[in-house]
Amino acid sequence: MHHDAAVSDPLGLPEIRIHIGQFLDTRDILACILVCHAWAKDFSGFLWSTITFDKSIQEKLTKENFQRHESHIRKLTLLDHGSFLDDAWAGTHCSNVSYLAIFPDLTALSTRRRLLLLRSMEAFHLAENTDTDALEPTLHSSSQDEEQDPTAKKLMRLVEQQHHLRGLSENCAAVSRTCSNDFAKQLCRHPNRLVHLHLSKWNTTVPELNMLIFNSPHLEGLRFKGLVLLTPNSAQEIEEESLSSASESIAAPRQLLQFRQIRRLDLQTFHTSTPLLEIDCPEAVSIQLSGYDMAESFSPNIHQQQQHSSRAHYGHIWNCPKSRTLLYTGQAKVVEGPELKDTLTSILQSAHHLSKIVLACTLEIGPSVMSRILNDHSSTLTILHFPYSTGLTSSHILKVLTTCRNLVEFKGSEDYLVGQQLLLDPQPWVCIRLERLRVRFGLSAFLARAGHLDFGAVVGDQAGALVSREDTMKQEIQALYGQLSRLTRLTVLDLSGTGSVDRITRGIPWTMAAGLGQLSTLTNLETLHVTDWEREMGYLEAEWMVRHWPRLDNLYNLRNRDLEPWTKFVRFLRFFKEAKQSLAQETG
């Protein structure tokens, strides 16, 4: 009888119901639970698959009820890990968690606890900004304390209890840096099957970090929010008996940091005082760096030694042949000095197939880094971003457009692409796959007026071909229109650039008189940034744009947004667009 019912109704089989339950949202699961007792038994477990433990759960749920269903939990997020661990909410059956996240919720803490926490964080930041002598005792005292943080021990027991844990994200440093540091030290000695790992605020050494990688053979994604890599004389000496023979074989005399099987490496706020460091990432396809700081904060003698030795001995050597993505974001205080440039050059030289490079910082890139990018990766690059960076010349920007054939997105630096450069180097732009273009373009006459360019030298170099500012502007505008007309896949076009707003007139006039009709090939254009040419745009330009750029929906102005000519042009554009839609509806 049961078999016949199952054949006529597949939902009569518990296996089918459980399989379907994986794809239902909470509302549908609740509806299924109300069908009958059999369905309630099969679908109730899915309500417990994802649990966020915070103060509200403690008020509405008893510990006994939690432990009754804890075997169903697959994703567990602890916003109040202190109460969860101290009150022993997890029973013996809480062992099937596949993803564990510890994100302390500061709003859930008492007022007194928040004040103590903020004071401790302010003290830590103050110590970071003081000299090394003030910082070193803090590191020594914390590293020499043999007693482990009790919360870190309980958290480690919860991790060891899980049989299928694949993802672990820890941010205990928001509440206790000691807990975060002690937990990481315990985790590195524990064999696991993690695939993704995120740790915060870990003061460690190369052998200890290598041990973590060795004990995590399935690890592919690794992220550190605050990694401090110390030299042996600046950190606690790791006890010989606690190091396995495998980790001893990993720790090389030349301080070789082996990320082995890691495919995605993200180092946020990475500090190190290790001068002789080789970083081996043979399988990494993505490398993200943020706040890369070498030697400045922790080893004041490094620069004294550099005066008597070659800097190459102190730059970090990277090996990442399979990397396809390089991202760096940082602040001015952590990108000064030659160490970061040496690191970027080492990564660029090691990687063979970089397709995405983003240097989003106040770094002065310089010709050496840029030459390495263009010489080694111009054929593979699809995305190239230099927001807020400086140090590039107009010829560098132009070379990107004339050599990177597969480029899909290009965001230039704070430097100008000078219009006169288009006349000196008229070779066609080969990046015909380009979809998003953002560069800061300036006509020679306006740059010369602002003191950014010697206009007399420009005219002299042309041997009388450019006889006036007006002729120069016309030739430069026509040259740029001609190059842009080749980029038929463009969806975003911005010639005003990013960053601060100076008083130099940017971009080109988007007018029919200037030659806007040449851009009728840009039929895919969706976003256009117009800057400093609002007074010259009228109903003719609006009608032309609606007719030839049917997808244009976003029009932006870097400044003068409330200028009457601009608001008038926007009204014209809206009128012609509505008229076109009405005509299409009537004829359709």
Side-chain angles (χ1 to χ4, degrees), residues 394-396 398 417-426 444 476:
S394 182
S395 58
H396 282 143
L398 189 59
L417 171 60
V418 183
Q420 195 261 342
Q421 190 71 37
L422 301 178
L423 305 181
L424 296 177
D425 189 1
S444 301
E476 292 175 358

Side-chain angles (χ1 to χ4, degrees), residues 419-485:
Q420 195 261 342
Q421 190 71 37
L422 301 178
L423 305 181
L424 296 177
D425 189 1
Q427 60 178 315
W429 294 359
V430 298
C431 49
I432 57 176
R433 294 183 174 88
L434 199 62
E435 298 179 3
R436 294 171 293 278
L437 175 62
R438 299 178 185 271
V439 294
R440 181 178 292 190
F441 181 82
L443 296 170
S444 301
F446 296 114
L447 292 175
R449 185 183 303 169
H452 287 246
L453 188 68
D454 186 352
F455 187 80
V458 172
V459 177
D461 292 341
Q462 291 301 304
L466 307 179
V467 295
S468 67
R469 295 179 184 269
E470 291 74 16
D471 291 337
T472 303
M473 289 177 56
K474 291 180 181 179
Q475 294 182 37
E476 292 175 358
I477 292 172
Q478 292 303 312
L480 182 57
Y481 273 142
Q483 297 287 13
L484 291 176
S485 65

Side-chain angles (χ1 to χ4, degrees), residues 235-286:
Q236 177 186 9
E237 293 295 332
I238 302 179
E239 300 165 346
E240 294 292 334
E241 60 272 17
S242 65
L243 291 174
S244 64
S245 58
S247 64
E248 289 177 355
S249 64
I250 294 175
R254 290 180 54 82
Q255 293 294 289
L256 176 62
L257 183 55
Q258 292 188 328
F259 285 110
R260 292 177 172 260
Q261 74 282 1
I262 304 300
R263 293 177 56 82
R264 291 171 297 279
L265 179 63
D266 186 356
L267 301 179
Q268 295 188 12
T269 315
F270 174 51
H271 300 277
T272 175
S273 61
T274 306
L276 296 173
L277 182 62
E278 295 182 20
I279 304 176
D280 188 24
C281 310
E283 301 296 329
V285 296
S286 174

